[in-house]
């Protein structure tokens, strides 16, 4: 057994021939050992060895014979295996291949037969569905008919989806199904037109109140049990539409007409009142006109009107469960009212917000408490709609808007403030009012003492009297020290400042959020002014000197109030703004710069015109020529006329100090130009000197007359006498006139070794140039020139 196992285990390495060879080799080795010489005569030791070998041989021989027998059996088994393999390869394999091929063919044939059978069954079901549809349609069982049509449509889709098995009949079946569907929709459409009949005015692009008042909606009342035989109930028609997937289309069109001709007009036109009129099997919904109490109906009235309309629709048309209206089974029990609500509620709520609730937002914080009634009416309105299933259970945008009244009040107030401010900014600038140190904006009352820095002052003042030191200066400041000087500003700017103060006062009585919004709206007013006014009035500010002066005053007036505006309301605003945020001081430099830049630009324009007129004076040379003298005289007259006209334009507009500085600067420009041109002359004859003197005399005599800052003529003399204060070159000009009429000795005396009045106004080089131009080259002139140093 062990040998068999060994043979079987090594069958992969040894075959039967190898085993027999080894056994034969072993037997021969044994025989050789027995026949070796001396093996038998080796004495006692050799005999023992032979005995042992014989014994081993006797034991080994049966095993060898068993192995030989086993080899013979293995040879037989191998031959049997070879025969079996040959039989399998030659006969069984061939038969098996044939059987598999036959089985596959039979299986494919079975599948084809099964497919043909299923197609035939589906075609039979399709035909049965169409027959049942026709029968139901004749009996006006629209829901059953629609269901059969949908069943047939499903069968046809399934047949068409099979690839590789196309049938020509399917195209014909599809055409037939389309024809029957359209036939069904036609019948349903006829029934729908009987349920809801619209009588509308002629179609126009815009809906007017006159046309809307003639709109009517006729609703067919639900038939009684006896009348159901004569015609289908509304539920049957609508459910059939739902099954065919056409209900949303019909309902969407109905909803748009409802919004356009009934619901939106009720919101927009307060005089419309809805009412119903019942006739036999018909309820008529239409309008009548009444005189409105206000321009806008209150939300309570509008909610009642819309609720009345929807209640009528719910009673006679929409309280119908729509079976299979959607694919989702969880929502298959939806009423027609819910479908219509989903379609029109978003647009209806937007219209209610924009045309109803927006108008009801109070414009004054004192009226906010009265708005609770509107919130309650909105809640009741939505509850009624949810009860009729027009709305779902979650909160809508309409109620959120109504409850968020504080934010909307702030937004509306801020918007109104900005709109009012912009209207003031774009109004005419030249409509002015006079501002004096005594005049002020109607300011709200400042907070009572007891908070802020005043508390610290009270605590600090608790010092024993004998230790107190009087640091107050005995000289008192005038009460007008920090007041704006008398001038004219635009009435629109005065109203703008009043609007700012009133808005801040409104902020003090508002909630924290509203207070912050209103405060920053006031800041936005001034930032808007900074951007809008220079751009909107740009052309006029450049061309008209008076408007430039008024704009300058407007900016200074605003900057003057911005200095203290934040401090006045500091302890009356919300805590967030009390910590230093409530300030307008940062805007002051910008406004001052805005006013100054505009006025300086106008000053540059006026200077340019003065210099242009003086350029026609032909450099004041050769005044003995009559034509040259006339040209110079005309230029001087034009400059004085320009200054006088400008003085009248700015009179009673600019503050006196600004007026005098501006007129002094322009007159100084003219005088400086004349001095420069005359001083540059190389030759001045006696006649030229006389005529130049006469021209200068005109400037000296009439120049002060341009200073007329006040309307009262007698009060202007003070400023006309102070001309040297405002005209830097005034004394220079007068010294020039002296030179034109003086002799050499008088000029030398005026120079006074560089200490006289002439030396204060002219340089030595300028005086020498004038002497050389006025006097001939003589010893006396040389001596005079030597003294000018």
């Amino acid at each position: 057994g062990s040998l068999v196992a060994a043979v079987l285990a090594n069958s992969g390495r040894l075959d039967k021939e190898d085993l027999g060879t080894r056994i034969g080799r072993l037997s021969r080795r044994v025989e050789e050992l027995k026949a070796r010489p001396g093996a038998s005569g080796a004495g006692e030791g050799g005999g023992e060895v032979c005995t042992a070998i014989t014994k081993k041989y006797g034991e080994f021989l049966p095993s060898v014979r068993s192995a030989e027998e086993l080899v013979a059996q293995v040879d037989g088994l191998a031959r049997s295996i070879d025969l079996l393999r040959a039989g399998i390869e030659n006969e069984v394999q061939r038969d098996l291949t044939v059987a598999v091929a036959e089985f596959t063919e039979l299986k494919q044939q079975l599948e084809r037969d099964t497919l043909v059978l299923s197609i035939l069954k589906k075609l039979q079901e399709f035909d049965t569905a169409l027959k049942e549809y026709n029968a139901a349609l004749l009996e006006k069982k629209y829901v059953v008919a629609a269901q059969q049509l949908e069943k047939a449509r499903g069968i046809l889709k399934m047949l068409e989806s099979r690839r590789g098995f196309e049938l020509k009949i399917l195209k014909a079946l599809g055409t037939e199904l389309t024809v029957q569907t359209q036939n069904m929709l036609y019948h349903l459409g006829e029934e729908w037109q009987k349920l809801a009949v619209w009588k509308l005015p002629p179609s126009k692009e815009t809906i007017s109140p006159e046309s809307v008042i003639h709109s009517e909606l006729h609703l067919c009342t639900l038939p009684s049990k006896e009348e159901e035989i004569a015609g289908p109930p509304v539920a049957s028609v609508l459910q059939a539409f739902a099954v065919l997937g056409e209900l949303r289309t019909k309902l969407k069109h109905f909803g748009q007409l409802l919004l356009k001709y009934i619901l939106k007009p009720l919101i927009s036109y307060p005089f419309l009142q809805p009412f119903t009129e019942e006739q036999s099997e018909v309820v008529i919904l239409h309008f009548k006109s009444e005189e409105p109490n206000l321009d806008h109906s209150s939300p309570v009235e509008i909610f009642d009107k819309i609720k009345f309309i929807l209640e009528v629709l719910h009673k006679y048309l929409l309280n119908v469960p729509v079976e299979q209206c959607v694919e989702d089974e969880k929502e298959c029990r939806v009423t027609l009212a819910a479908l219509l609500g989903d379609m029109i509620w978003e647009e209806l709520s937007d219209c209610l917000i924009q045309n109803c609730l927006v108008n009801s937002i109070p414009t004054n914080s004192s009226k906010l408490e009265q708005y609770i009634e509107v919130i309650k009416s909105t809640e009741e309105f939505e509850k009624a709609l949810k009860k009729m299933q027009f709305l779902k259970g979650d909160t809508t945008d309409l109620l959120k808007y109504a409850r968020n009244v504080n934010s909307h009040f702030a937004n509306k107030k801020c918007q109104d403030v900005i709109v009012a401010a912009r209207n003031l900014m774009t109004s005419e600038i030249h409509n002015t009012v006079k501002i004096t140190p005594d005049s002020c904006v109607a300011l709200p009352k400042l907070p009572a003492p007891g908070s802020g820095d005043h508390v610290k002052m009270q605590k600090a003042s608790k010092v024993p009297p004998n230790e107190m030191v009087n640091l107050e200066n005995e000289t008192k400041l005038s009460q007008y020290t920090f007041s704006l000087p008398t001038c004219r500003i635009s009435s629109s700017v005065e109203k703008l400042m009043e609007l700012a103060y009133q808005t801040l006062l409104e902020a003090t009585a508002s909630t924290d959020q509203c207070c912050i919004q209103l405060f920053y709206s006031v800041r936005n007013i001034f930032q808007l002014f900074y951007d809008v006014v220079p751009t909107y009035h740009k052309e006029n500010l450049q061309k008209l000197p008076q408007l430039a002066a008024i704009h300058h005053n407007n900016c200074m007036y605003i900057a003057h109030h911005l200095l203290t505006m934040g401090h006045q309301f500091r302890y009356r605003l919300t805590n967030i703004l009390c910590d230093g945020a409530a300030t307008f001081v940062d805007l002051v430099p910008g406004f001052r710069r805005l006013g100054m830049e505009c006025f300086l630009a106008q000053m540059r324009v006026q200077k340019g015109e003065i210099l242009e007129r003086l350029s026609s004076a032909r450099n004041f040379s050769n005044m003995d020529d009559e034509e040259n003298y006339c040209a110079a005289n005309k230029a001087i007259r034009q400059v004085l006329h320009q200054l006088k006209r400008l003085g009248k334009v700015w009179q009673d507009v600019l503050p006196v100090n600004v007026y005098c500085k501006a007129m002094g600067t322009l007159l100084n420009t003219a005088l400086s130009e004349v001095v420069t041109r005359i001083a540059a002359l190389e030759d001045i004859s006696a006649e030229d000197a006389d005529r130049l003197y006469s021209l200068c005399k005109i400037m000296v005599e009439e120049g002060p007359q341009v200073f007329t800052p006040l309307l009262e003529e007698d009060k202007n003399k003070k400023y006309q006498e102070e001309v040297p204060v405002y005209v830097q070159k005034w004394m220079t000009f007068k010294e020039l006139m002296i030179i034109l009429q003086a002799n050499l000795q008088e000029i030398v005396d005026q120079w006074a070794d560089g200490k006289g009045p002439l030396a204060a106004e002219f340089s030595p080089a300028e005086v020498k140039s004038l002497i050389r131009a006025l006097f001939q080259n003589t010893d006396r002139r040389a001596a005079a020139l030597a003294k000018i140093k």
Side-chain angles (χ1 to χ4, degrees), residues 764-775:
E766 291 172 336
V767 175
K768 289 179 179 181
S769 176
L770 284 171
I771 292 175
R772 292 188 183 101
L774 287 167
F775 301 97

Side-chain angles (χ1 to χ4, degrees), residues 26 45 63 102 111 130 153 168 267 271 335 347 351 371 395 399 424 467 513 599 622 677 691 718 740:
L26 184 59
S63 299
E102 291 178 354
E111 290 177 351
L130 286 184
R153 182 173 286 105
K168 296 181 179 179
I267 299 172
F271 60 86
T335 63
E347 189 173 351
C351 185
Y371 198 79
T395 306
L399 187 56
L424 291 172
E467 297 182 9
Q513 178 187 0
F599 190 68
N622 300 326
R677 290 179 181 271
R691 290 197 168 187
K718 171 187 175 183
L740 291 174

Side-chain angles (χ1 to χ4, degrees), residues 559-570:
H560 178 74
H561 281 277
L562 291 180
L563 284 170
T564 57
M565 181 180 287
H567 180 74
Q568 294 171 46
F569 291 90
R570 178 177 179 184

Side-chain angles (χ1 to χ4, degrees), residues 1 40 76 123 136 188 275 283 349 397 411 422 428 447 512 576 766:
S40 59
L123 290 175
L188 291 177
F275 69 99
V283 174
S349 62
D397 293 337
N411 294 337
R422 185 175 179 85
E428 295 297 336
D512 288 355
I576 301 175
E766 291 172 336

Side-chain angles (χ1 to χ4, degrees), residues 488-503:
R488 283 194 170 272
I489 65 169
S490 300
S491 57
S492 59
V493 170
E494 184 183 43
K495 294 176 182 177
L496 185 71
M497 192 55 62
E498 291 176 356
L499 175 66
Y501 275 106
Q502 291 302 321
T503 305

Side-chain angles (χ1 to χ4, degrees), residues 464-591:
N466 56 351
E467 297 182 9
M468 292 180 67
V469 179
N470 187 11
L471 299 178
E472 185 178 359
N473 195 336
E474 295 181 357
T475 305
K476 299 288 185 179
L477 292 175
S478 169
Q479 60 175 333
Y480 301 127
T481 300
F482 297 105
S483 298
L484 198 69
T486 301
C487 63
R488 283 194 170 272
I489 65 169
S490 300
S491 57
S492 59
V493 170
E494 184 183 43
K495 294 176 182 177
L496 185 71
M497 192 55 62
E498 291 176 356
L499 175 66
Y501 275 106
Q502 291 302 321
T503 305
L504 287 176
L505 185 61
E506 183 82 23
T508 61
S510 304
T511 60
D512 288 355
Q513 178 187 0
C514 182
C515 177
I516 295 172
Q517 285 185 256
L518 290 176
F519 171 78
Y520 283 103
S521 291
V522 176
R523 283 186 61 93
N524 290 338
I525 288 176
F526 299 115
Q527 292 171 348
L528 191 66
F529 183 96
Y530 191 91
D531 295 329
V532 169
V533 173
T535 304
Y536 186 83
H537 300 281
K538 181 179 181 180
E539 187 175 353
N540 288 334
L541 292 176
Q542 290 175 347
K543 292 181 178 180
L544 304 177
Q546 185 183 41
L547 295 190
I550 294 173
H551 178 65
H552 167 270
N553 295 345
N554 291 343
C555 293
M556 296 304 168
Y557 175 80
I558 293 174
H560 178 74
H561 281 277
L562 291 180
L563 284 170
T564 57
M565 181 180 287
H567 180 74
Q568 294 171 46
F569 291 90
R570 178 177 179 184
Y571 298 113
R572 303 187 66 185
L573 299 173
T574 179
N575 293 332
I576 301 175
L577 297 174
C578 283
D579 299 333
T583 182
F584 297 89
V585 177
D586 58 307
L587 302 177
V588 172
F591 271 90

